[in-house]
Amino acid sequence: MSPVPTGTPSSTDSFDEWLRGRVPERGLRPKAAAVLELLLSQPRRASFGSTAELAQLAGVNVATVTRTAQALGYAGWPALQQELRARYLSSLSAPQVAAEHLDAGLAGTGSGSPGVASLRRDLDGLALLHRKVDEGVLDVVARAIAGARRTLVIAAGSYAAVGTALAHNARLAGYDVVAVSGGDAELANAVAAVDERDVLIAVSFWRLYESTVLAANEARERGARVFAVTDAASPALSSAAEEVLLVPAEGVAFFPSLTAGVAVAQAVVAQLAAIDPERTAASIETAEGMWSRFGLLHRRVGG
């Protein structure tokens, strides 16, 4: 993807179309409509500004900003701003993202180091995830894996860390789950073998990989159940997914944080392990025995 000028939404998954598409059929009241127009015309300021700042710019009070977010289908302004910012940042190149964080004071300048700022950002992301996670969706994904012949986890680039954690631990729990993070040929071959008995989980943040979007849509067309773990409900990906697990993924530098994504992967596996405890216990015991035979561990149990 070529760089997009700061403040200009990408033409892919149009920012305008997404936001206007959330307006209820009855429309918005005039003051709420003013807030909406501010979000559309100043995505950068909306992504990083406070509620009070946006209210002043739109000529309304803070309560109106909150009510506008709720009218657009969110619990409140923080939830809407999280997705606004994810979508805005996805329209920028890596250097532009770093510059945005520096301008917004998120990169640990001044009294705090970038490393400490990164830790704080991850803690904030986990707190937000804890408040908004849908336990029902976690259960749906876990039961889909449990009932599938096989589950493919598609995660490219650095996102492979999330996919690897999910697949590795789900296999230990006793289920056939494979992470596909290699080249396009490996991905194409894996998707070619998918049918209605299978599940595909697509993991992607910030700017979506085209191969991930294609794999999700191909798997859906072949009858598989498809789920997505991402930071913004991009139509290109969410239209193929039965459920979307939205997780905060904003870091403080030029790359996304994977902390909340790994936490969601672990949560899905924990839910999966509880579906058939006997199966999971037997699988772990078998794996433990094989680790011992291969001499994998520095210290053996009881040693």
Side-chain angles (χ1 to χ4, degrees):
M1 176 182 281
S2 58
V4 180
T6 300
T8 304
S10 168
S11 60
T12 304
D13 291 341
S14 168
F15 185 93
D16 284 28
E17 289 181 8
W18 160 70
L19 200 51
R20 292 188 188 282
R22 299 195 68 93
V23 175
E25 291 185 7
R26 64 180 183 279
L28 297 172
R29 293 179 181 273
K31 289 185 177 180
V35 174
L36 176 65
E37 290 307 314
L38 175 65
L39 304 184
L40 291 167
S41 63
Q42 300 191 49
R44 180 185 186 278
R45 183 160 287 182
S47 297
F48 293 97
S50 67
T51 314
E53 179 186 0
L54 297 177
Q56 182 179 19
L57 289 170
V60 301
N61 57 35
V62 170
T64 298
V65 176
T66 299
R67 287 195 294 270
T68 302
Q70 292 169 341
L72 295 174
Y74 293 87
W77 171 247
L80 172 56
Q81 188 178 46
Q82 179 198 345
E83 187 159 357
L84 279 170
R85 189 147 67 197
R87 287 177 176 275
Y88 170 66
L89 291 175
S90 73
S91 73
L92 307 179
S93 67
Q96 288 171 332
V97 169
E100 287 291 350
H101 285 154
L102 187 63
D103 289 344
L106 300 176
T109 57
S111 60
S113 70
V116 170
S118 179
L119 291 173
R120 284 199 301 265
R121 170 62 64 179
D122 281 349
L123 287 170
D124 290 343
L126 288 172
L128 178 59
L129 175 66
H130 182 257
R131 290 197 300 271
K132 67 178 293 185
V133 68
D134 188 331
E135 294 182 34
V137 175
L138 292 176
D139 189 59
V140 168
V141 176
R143 292 188 180 279
I145 295 172
R149 175 187 64 163
R150 183 176 62 158
T151 296
L152 293 180
V153 183
I154 309 301
S158 61
Y159 316 148
V162 178
T164 299
L166 174 56
H168 177 81
N169 290 327
R171 284 198 305 273
L172 283 179
Y175 298 89
D176 187 0
V177 181
V178 178
V180 182
S181 56
D184 289 345
E186 179 187 352
L187 178 57
N189 291 338
V191 174
V194 164
D195 62 28
E196 67 279 357
R197 297 169 293 175
D198 301 321
V199 165
L200 183 142
I201 300 175
V203 180
S204 193
F205 308 106
W206 186 25
R207 295 181 294 183
L208 301 181
Y209 284 101
E210 184 64 34
S211 57
T212 300
V213 173
L214 179 59
N217 282 275
E218 286 289 336
R220 182 64 178 266
E221 289 183 8
R222 299 176 72 85
R225 298 181 70 179
V226 176
F227 301 94
V229 179
T230 185
D231 59 340
S234 163
L237 187 58
S238 61
S239 61
E242 179 180 329
E243 296 283 0
V244 177
L245 284 162
L246 284 176
V247 300
E250 184 181 356
V252 298
F254 57 85
F255 45 80
S257 168
L258 304 179
T259 302
V262 172
V264 162
Q266 296 293 80
V268 169
V269 172
Q271 195 77 19
L272 178 63
I275 292 174
D276 189 345
E278 292 183 1
R279 174 175 180 167
T280 295
S283 176
I284 292 174
E285 184 176 354
T286 299
E288 181 77 29
M290 198 58 65
W291 299 339
S292 179
R293 288 191 62 184
F294 275 75
L296 298 182
L297 304 180
H298 176 61
R299 285 195 180 94
R300 296 185 180 183
V301 176

PDB file of all heavy atoms in Angstrom, residues 23-29 71:
ATOM      1  N   VAL A  23     -25.206   5.221  10.617  1.00  0.00           N
ATOM      2  CA  VAL A  23     -26.298   6.133  10.979  1.00  0.00           C
ATOM      3  C   VAL A  23     -27.616   5.374  10.939  1.00  0.00           C
ATOM      4  O   VAL A  23     -27.923   4.694   9.953  1.00  0.00           O
ATOM      5  CB  VAL A  23     -26.350   7.334  10.009  1.00  0.00           C
ATOM      6  CG1 VAL A  23     -27.562   8.212  10.314  1.00  0.00           C
ATOM      7  CG2 VAL A  23     -25.061   8.139  10.095  1.00  0.00           C
ATOM      8  N   PRO A  24     -28.428   5.443  11.992  1.00  0.00           N
ATOM      9  CA  PRO A  24     -29.706   4.724  12.002  1.00  0.00           C
ATOM     10  C   PRO A  24     -30.641   5.234  10.909  1.00  0.00           C
ATOM     11  O   PRO A  24     -30.503   6.366  10.433  1.00  0.00           O
ATOM     12  CB  PRO A  24     -30.261   5.009  13.407  1.00  0.00           C
ATOM     13  CG  PRO A  24     -29.562   6.237  13.861  1.00  0.00           C
ATOM     14  CD  PRO A  24     -28.196   6.202  13.237  1.00  0.00           C
ATOM     15  N   GLU A  25     -31.588   4.405  10.506  1.00  0.00           N
ATOM     16  CA  GLU A  25     -32.510   4.763   9.424  1.00  0.00           C
ATOM     17  C   GLU A  25     -33.283   6.040   9.722  1.00  0.00           C
ATOM     18  O   GLU A  25     -33.614   6.801   8.817  1.00  0.00           O
ATOM     19  CB  GLU A  25     -33.499   3.611   9.175  1.00  0.00           C
ATOM     20  CG  GLU A  25     -32.848   2.381   8.564  1.00  0.00           C
ATOM     21  CD  GLU A  25     -33.883   1.326   8.219  1.00  0.00           C
ATOM     22  OE1 GLU A  25     -35.091   1.616   8.342  1.00  0.00           O
ATOM     23  OE2 GLU A  25     -33.484   0.221   7.829  1.00  0.00           O
ATOM     24  N   ARG A  26     -33.574   6.264  10.983  1.00  0.00           N
ATOM     25  CA  ARG A  26     -34.330   7.467  11.351  1.00  0.00           C
ATOM     26  C   ARG A  26     -33.473   8.730  11.268  1.00  0.00           C
ATOM     27  O   ARG A  26     -33.977   9.849  11.405  1.00  0.00           O
ATOM     28  CB  ARG A  26     -34.882   7.329  12.770  1.00  0.00           C
ATOM     29  CG  ARG A  26     -33.817   7.248  13.844  1.00  0.00           C
ATOM     30  CD  ARG A  26     -34.421   7.122  15.230  1.00  0.00           C
ATOM     31  NE  ARG A  26     -33.403   7.118  16.270  1.00  0.00           N
ATOM     32  CZ  ARG A  26     -32.686   6.076  16.629  1.00  0.00           C
ATOM     33  NH1 ARG A  26     -32.887   4.913  16.015  1.00  0.00           N
ATOM     34  NH2 ARG A  26     -31.785   6.173  17.594  1.00  0.00           N
ATOM     35  N   GLY A  27     -32.163   8.554  11.052  1.00  0.00           N
ATOM     36  CA  GLY A  27     -31.265   9.688  10.970  1.00  0.00           C
ATOM     37  C   GLY A  27     -30.792  10.156  12.329  1.00  0.00           C
ATOM     38  O   GLY A  27     -31.031   9.506  13.344  1.00  0.00           O
ATOM     39  N   LEU A  28     -30.119  11.285  12.348  1.00  0.00           N
ATOM     40  CA  LEU A  28     -29.594  11.863  13.576  1.00  0.00           C
ATOM     41  C   LEU A  28     -30.213  13.226  13.831  1.00  0.00           C
ATOM     42  O   LEU A  28     -30.576  13.936  12.893  1.00  0.00           O
ATOM     43  CB  LEU A  28     -28.069  12.023  13.489  1.00  0.00           C
ATOM     44  CG  LEU A  28     -27.223  10.757  13.346  1.00  0.00           C
ATOM     45  CD1 LEU A  28     -25.767  11.135  13.085  1.00  0.00           C
ATOM     46  CD2 LEU A  28     -27.326   9.882  14.591  1.00  0.00           C
ATOM     47  N   ARG A  29     -30.298  13.578  15.094  1.00  0.00           N
ATOM     48  CA  ARG A  29     -30.743  14.925  15.442  1.00  0.00           C
ATOM     49  C   ARG A  29     -29.688  15.929  14.964  1.00  0.00           C
ATOM     50  O   ARG A  29     -28.519  15.572  14.769  1.00  0.00           O
ATOM     51  CB  ARG A  29     -30.936  15.040  16.950  1.00  0.00           C
ATOM     52  CG  ARG A  29     -32.092  14.187  17.476  1.00  0.00           C
ATOM     53  CD  ARG A  29     -32.214  14.336  18.988  1.00  0.00           C
ATOM     54  NE  ARG A  29     -33.291  13.508  19.507  1.00  0.00           N
ATOM     55  CZ  ARG A  29     -34.572  13.887  19.577  1.00  0.00           C
ATOM     56  NH1 ARG A  29     -34.911  15.103  19.140  1.00  0.00           N
ATOM     57  NH2 ARG A  29     -35.491  13.085  20.052  1.00  0.00           N
ATOM     58  N   ALA A  71     -25.776   6.496  19.318  1.00  0.00           N
ATOM     59  CA  ALA A  71     -26.672   6.426  18.161  1.00  0.00           C
ATOM     60  C   ALA A  71     -26.025   5.682  17.001  1.00  0.00           C
ATOM     61  O   ALA A  71     -26.717   5.065  16.172  1.00  0.00           O
ATOM     62  CB  ALA A  71     -27.072   7.839  17.717  1.00  0.00           C
TER      63      ALA A  71
END
